[in-house]
Amino acid sequence: MFLPFLVAFSIACFAIYVANVAKEEMVEIFAAIVAILSFVASLILAPWFIQIALLIFVVVYWCTPILR
């Protein structure tokens, strides 16, 4: 149940690290693209309670002007 989510999230984290450490521009761009796609995939593959928790966090943050 959690394995596809964890794999996609781990790839996203590693790609973010590579994008920050990369010296060459093409490697940085490619790693950023992989990070974005992996992060979207991990959100799609996340269990429903993680998706609901993220949705609640975004709605509360967006509707509460004190947090901004």
Side-chain angles (χ1 to χ4, degrees), residues 1-67:
M1 180 175 166
F2 284 110
L3 190 61
F5 165 68
L6 290 177
V7 169
F9 192 69
S10 299
I11 292 171
C13 290
F14 181 71
I16 290 170
Y17 171 74
V18 170
N20 287 333
V21 174
K23 303 278 188 216
E24 296 182 21
E25 186 177 359
M26 288 301 293
V27 174
E28 183 179 346
I29 292 171
F30 180 72
I33 291 171
V34 169
I36 291 170
L37 292 176
S38 297
F39 187 69
V40 169
S42 70
L43 287 178
I44 292 171
L45 295 171
W48 64 269
F49 51 88
I50 294 176
Q51 291 177 348
I52 295 296
L54 282 170
L55 178 66
I56 290 171
F57 176 75
V58 169
V59 168
V60 167
Y61 180 77
W62 191 20
C63 294
T64 308
I66 295 173
L67 296 176

